[in-house]
Amino acid sequence: MAAADREWLPMAATALAGSAAVAYAVYHLKKTAPKNRPPSPPPYHWLLGLSNFAHAPCFAKPDLHRYATEWANKLGGVYVVYIKGPFYVVTDALLVNQVISRGDMGMPKHPEIYRTTDEMLTFGLPQLFSTADESADIFRGYRKGLAPCFSLENLKKSFPKVRACAQKMVSLWETQCLATGDAVITDSWMSRATLDIIGQVGFNYDFKALDSEHNEFVEAMHENLVALSTSLGEDPIGAILAKFTSVYEAVKSRGEPPADDQSIGANLMRIKKPSTGEPFPEETVFASLTGMLIAGYDTTAATCMWALYDIARHPDVQKRIAQELAGAGLLQVPGQAHARQLEWADLTAFPYFNAALKESMRLHTAAAMGTFRQCPKDAMLGGWHIPKGSTVFDPCSIHLAQLDVLNSTCSTRQVFDPQRWLGEAPTGAKPAPTSNTVHLHASTTGAGPPVAEGSTASGPTKPSFATPQGHAGVPPGKAMLPFSDGTRSCIGMNLAYMDARTILLAILSKFWLELDPSVGSHAEVEAAQVMALVLNSGVPIKLRLKSHVPN
């Protein structure tokens, strides 16, 4: 055989060996794969298809929610992805409730995964937001020690500070925007207002964020939270922590807080280990302070931004809210007497306004990113087997579950319809009546679809979110989970509701809102969304302000 004829032999042998290796790998994976395993989406790239990292690149992207939505639509409410081994993803509304509940199906946070967070935040020491052991001192001590900060009594005492910040922003809008005709960029304004609020209410600290257009804290948080959520940037955690050193030093320098000071900062200084009565390490206190600051302003800012956007793009909704406010003497109309001042009782006095806020929160969940959980025992979720010790991940699960649970068809679940929360929606969802008492959380979560008697979730979830199974079994009040539920629910949810309602009512009582043409169509806005620790917009949401027209 000539030498030239033999040149192809090494290449052919290599190709044959490679094909055999691939065939064996596929055979081995199929042979060793657990029975009744949930479906899996296609790999990010075919070269990753046989690895344990088949979908890892997707989870480093700021538009992760688009992948999660597409996968859920095709595969159903439970599927498995490969990031560093198998991660079982849950997006079905009923199953999400089970995973995050206190019941038999409840799953704790994954200790190994969140240990990485501890390494970054507290040099390996456990802290409230990441600890998986709910019997540990850090969890019991901080959940109990911070509870007085968010009692209705303390929130009512804090309300004048929140109102003052909201009114300050509205006055600035009147001067800078209404008078000049300039558009309001809601992203920046909401972040600055909510940072000032959490600073003053939570830590007796003035960030002065509303005093200038640029604020180093707001700008650092926006940049580094996105980097943190996608694991990008050199040290996003370090950059965030550095910005809050001055707050911690200010709180610590005050010494022992007075008994009547129930602010977050004061209680952080008081909390002791339940088992020994000793104070927590300084690194733990600092990390908890930073976490409370971030959670206390960023999610509320996103909630307000999206609510203003949704209301502005629906003039009929805005008109009905204006009618509610006018009936209570809160609407500011040129040529008429000044509107009265917003009061504490007003926060739950307007059913339609609160329905509009709730509907916006359903479509644009503030705490959109999910958590990593560990399955404590062999379990069945939606008819699929989840092995003991598995990682159960709910990326965007709250976001997806809320889109889905109240609607039976894809054509209506993404429609902004506040009436669904008042028993007026075509879907027939009838919430429990809103109480007249000023209880911030009850009036916002006691709503959901009627529970069908004898309904159960059995068998694998159908591979379509258009006709999900088991949703009739979601208990009333569990259909909306913007702050999660169970033992890991957001401890500051009542503060967030108070802040959002106060800010939005202050704005809507003064201005008629219109979207700036530069915002583009709703489809363009939705396409530009990015998913960080909160659901932000990829483009600025600009509003045009007008005075309300007298009737």
Side-chain angles (χ1 to χ4, degrees):
M1 181 181 294
D5 295 332
R6 293 195 299 268
E7 289 180 355
W8 62 272
L9 290 177
M11 293 186 291
T14 300
L16 183 62
S19 300
V22 170
Y24 174 78
V26 172
Y27 168 78
H28 180 72
L29 283 176
K30 289 183 177 180
K31 184 177 180 181
T32 59
K35 295 181 180 179
N36 202 24
R37 183 179 60 183
S40 182
Y44 181 79
H45 190 278
W46 69 269
L47 288 175
L48 295 173
L50 296 177
S51 73
N52 276 330
F53 300 88
H55 307 98
C58 301
F59 288 82
K61 291 182 174 293
D63 58 349
L64 167 61
H65 61 297
R66 269 188 277 279
Y67 288 95
T69 302
E70 180 182 350
W71 294 340
N73 285 336
K74 291 180 179 179
L75 304 175
V78 182
Y79 53 88
V80 61
V81 296
Y82 292 87
I83 306 174
K84 186 179 180 181
F87 282 56
Y88 294 84
V89 179
V90 181
T91 62
D92 179 276
L94 176 62
L95 303 181
V96 168
N97 270 277
Q98 292 176 352
V99 167
I100 66 178
S101 73
R102 296 180 175 91
D104 293 340
M105 292 297 296
M107 299 182 186
K109 283 190 172 182
H110 198 297
E112 296 299 324
I113 292 176
Y114 285 99
R115 190 167 292 128
T116 304
T117 307
D118 293 338
E119 292 293 337
M120 293 188 293
L121 283 172
T122 56
F123 308 100
L125 295 172
Q127 45 92 19
L128 175 62
F129 295 100
S130 64
T131 184
D133 183 3
E134 295 180 5
S135 65
D137 275 347
I138 182 69
F139 186 82
R140 294 190 296 122
Y142 275 79
R143 289 292 293 199
K144 182 177 180 180
L146 290 173
C149 309
F150 309 108
S151 68
L152 292 180
E153 179 183 359
N154 194 55
L155 293 179
K156 188 174 182 179
K157 186 172 69 172
S158 303
F159 170 70
K161 291 183 178 180
V162 181
R163 180 179 59 194
C165 284
Q167 290 175 339
K168 180 178 181 178
M169 182 180 67
V170 166
S171 296
L172 289 170
W173 283 15
E174 286 184 299
T175 303
Q176 299 180 16
C177 303
L178 186 60
T180 63
D182 294 338
V184 169
I185 302 178
T186 57
D187 311 51
S188 171
W189 280 101
M190 292 304 106
S191 294
R192 288 154 59 195
T194 55
L195 183 61
D196 274 352
I197 288 172
I198 190 62
Q200 295 179 31
V201 170
F203 303 93
N204 296 310
Y205 185 93
D206 191 358
F207 283 98
K208 300 184 182 300
L210 284 172
D211 291 346
S212 60
E213 183 178 353
H214 299 287
N215 182 272
E216 61 174 343
F217 290 93
V218 172
E219 293 170 356
M221 291 307 101
H222 176 75
E223 178 182 351
N224 289 291
L225 285 179
V226 174
L228 176 61
S229 68
T230 57
S231 300
L232 301 175
E234 294 183 1
D235 184 16
I237 282 286
I240 291 173
L241 294 181
K243 293 299 178 183
F244 290 117
T245 301
S246 59
V247 184
Y248 176 71
E249 294 298 333
V251 172
K252 188 174 68 169
S253 68
R254 298 175 192 141
E256 185 67 24
D260 63 345
D261 185 353
Q262 294 298 325
S263 65
I264 298 172
N267 279 295
L268 283 174
M269 296 296 110
R270 294 191 185 104
I271 296 172
K272 303 291 191 296
K273 295 180 180 179
S275 61
T276 65
E278 299 175 348
F280 284 97
E282 190 169 350
E283 294 87 352
T284 299
V285 180
F286 178 53
S288 298
L289 177 145
T290 301
M292 297 299 292
L293 268 169
I294 295 172
Y297 99 92
D298 198 46
T299 53
T300 307
T303 296
C304 292
M305 180 196 77
W306 284 114
L308 291 172
Y309 167 74
D310 285 325
I311 291 171
R313 68 188 178 96
H314 291 90
D316 55 330
V317 171
Q318 190 171 180
K319 182 178 180 180
R320 186 163 170 180
I321 292 174
Q323 290 171 345
E324 273 192 329
L325 299 183
L330 279 173
L331 198 70
Q332 180 62 57
V333 177
Q336 296 184 3
H338 285 290
R340 67 172 176 84
Q341 187 174 4
L342 184 71
E343 300 294 343
W344 166 258
D346 291 322
L347 301 187
T348 53
F350 307 113
Y352 191 79
F353 160 74
N354 279 299
L357 172 58
K358 189 171 184 179
E359 178 70 347
S360 181
M361 293 174 71
R362 181 184 73 84
L363 292 171
H364 303 108
T365 313
M369 294 298 289
T371 57
F372 295 94
R373 307 273 176 152
Q374 187 174 52
C375 189
K377 58 185 178 181
D378 284 344
M380 297 294 290
L381 281 178
W384 302 109
H385 176 246
I386 311 296
K388 178 182 177 180
S390 297
T391 301
V392 176
F393 186 33
D394 51 348
C396 322
S397 63
I398 304 293
H399 173 63
L400 292 173
Q402 289 183 174
L403 284 183
D404 177 65
V405 71
L406 295 178
N407 303 280
S408 59
T409 65
C410 290
S411 62
T412 60
R413 69 183 185 183
Q414 291 185 320
V415 173
F416 181 77
D417 183 10
Q419 295 181 175
R420 75 176 78 250
W421 299 107
L422 301 172
E424 304 172 18
T427 56
K430 296 186 177 181
T434 301
S435 171
N436 290 324
T437 59
V438 183
H439 192 297
L440 297 180
H441 184 44
S443 63
T444 58
T445 59
V451 179
E453 295 184 6
S455 61
T456 58
S458 59
T461 307
K462 290 183 179 180
S464 171
F465 253 28
T467 54
Q469 289 190 15
H471 287 182
V474 178
K478 302 295 185 181
M480 273 287 288
L481 300 168
F483 297 98
S484 191
D485 194 37
T487 56
R488 307 314 292 249
S489 62
C490 175
I491 192 173
M493 65 179 77
N494 278 344
L495 174 61
Y497 280 125
M498 178 180 72
D499 292 352
R501 290 173 174 176
T502 304
I503 291 170
L504 293 172
L505 285 171
I507 293 171
L508 293 168
S509 66
K510 279 276 189 179
F511 306 115
W512 178 265
L513 310 177
E514 294 179 355
L515 290 177
D516 189 81
S518 65
V519 174
S521 68
H522 179 59
E524 290 172 324
V525 171
E526 291 287 313
Q529 288 179 12
V530 295
M531 186 74 69
L533 295 183
V534 297
L535 190 64
N536 292 310
S537 173
V539 295
I541 301 299
K542 297 181 181 180
L543 298 178
R544 293 283 173 179
L545 308 178
K546 294 184 177 180
S547 299
H548 286 287
V549 179
N551 291 329

